[in-house]
Amino acid sequence: MPVRLLQVVRFGLVGVVNTGTFYGCYLLLHRWMPYYPAYVVAFVLSMIGSFFLNTYFTYRTRPTWRKFLFFPLTNLTNFTVTSVGMYVLVEWCGVGEKPAPLIAAAAAIPVTFLLSRRILLTREQPAPDREPALTPATRDAG
């Protein structure tokens, strides 16, 4: 199976696990706090879990603070694409209000996948004041 296809499959599995984690945390926290704080805490916890699952399992790369700080952009993108998609489906395409969120969420998966891949597979650039890493190409060139 090609690497990118394998990543898509693993990305989908992480999404399922992440959704279950979010909902489980929400239900557990809602026992001790009002629904909205429970939602926010569960959302943040599931986003952190999603970061580590996607880093280690989906893309098989190491986590960095830079990746961690940029990773919430994937959730913002997902929310934006899903929200716009839902509006377009209901208002312009006449799709019912009940299936529209599921269709819009499915449409957001490729965009979210590509963005998370871009963020989590970014190569670390050497600091300007340091020598670049010694690789076979640079060793042979010198």
Side-chain angles (χ1 to χ4, degrees), residues 55-119:
T55 299
Y56 289 118
F57 178 67
T58 303
Y59 302 112
R60 302 187 188 263
T61 185
R62 68 185 177 94
T64 65
W65 282 107
R66 182 183 183 285
K67 293 174 187 177
F68 183 76
L69 294 174
F70 278 100
F71 190 74
L73 289 175
T74 64
N75 286 348
L76 178 61
T77 301
N78 188 312
F79 177 77
T80 303
V81 170
T82 304
S83 298
V84 170
M86 194 167 129
Y87 179 82
V88 167
L89 287 168
V90 172
E91 298 298 326
W92 295 355
C93 300
V95 174
E97 293 176 5
K98 290 183 180 176
L102 297 175
I103 297 168
I109 291 170
V111 177
T112 308
F113 170 76
L114 291 173
L115 181 59
S116 69
R117 189 173 196 280
R118 170 82 177 177
I119 289 170

Side-chain angles (χ1 to χ4, degrees), residues 127-141:
D129 58 337
R130 290 195 208 150
E131 286 288 319
L134 186 61
T135 64
T138 58
R139 182 181 39 211
D140 296 338

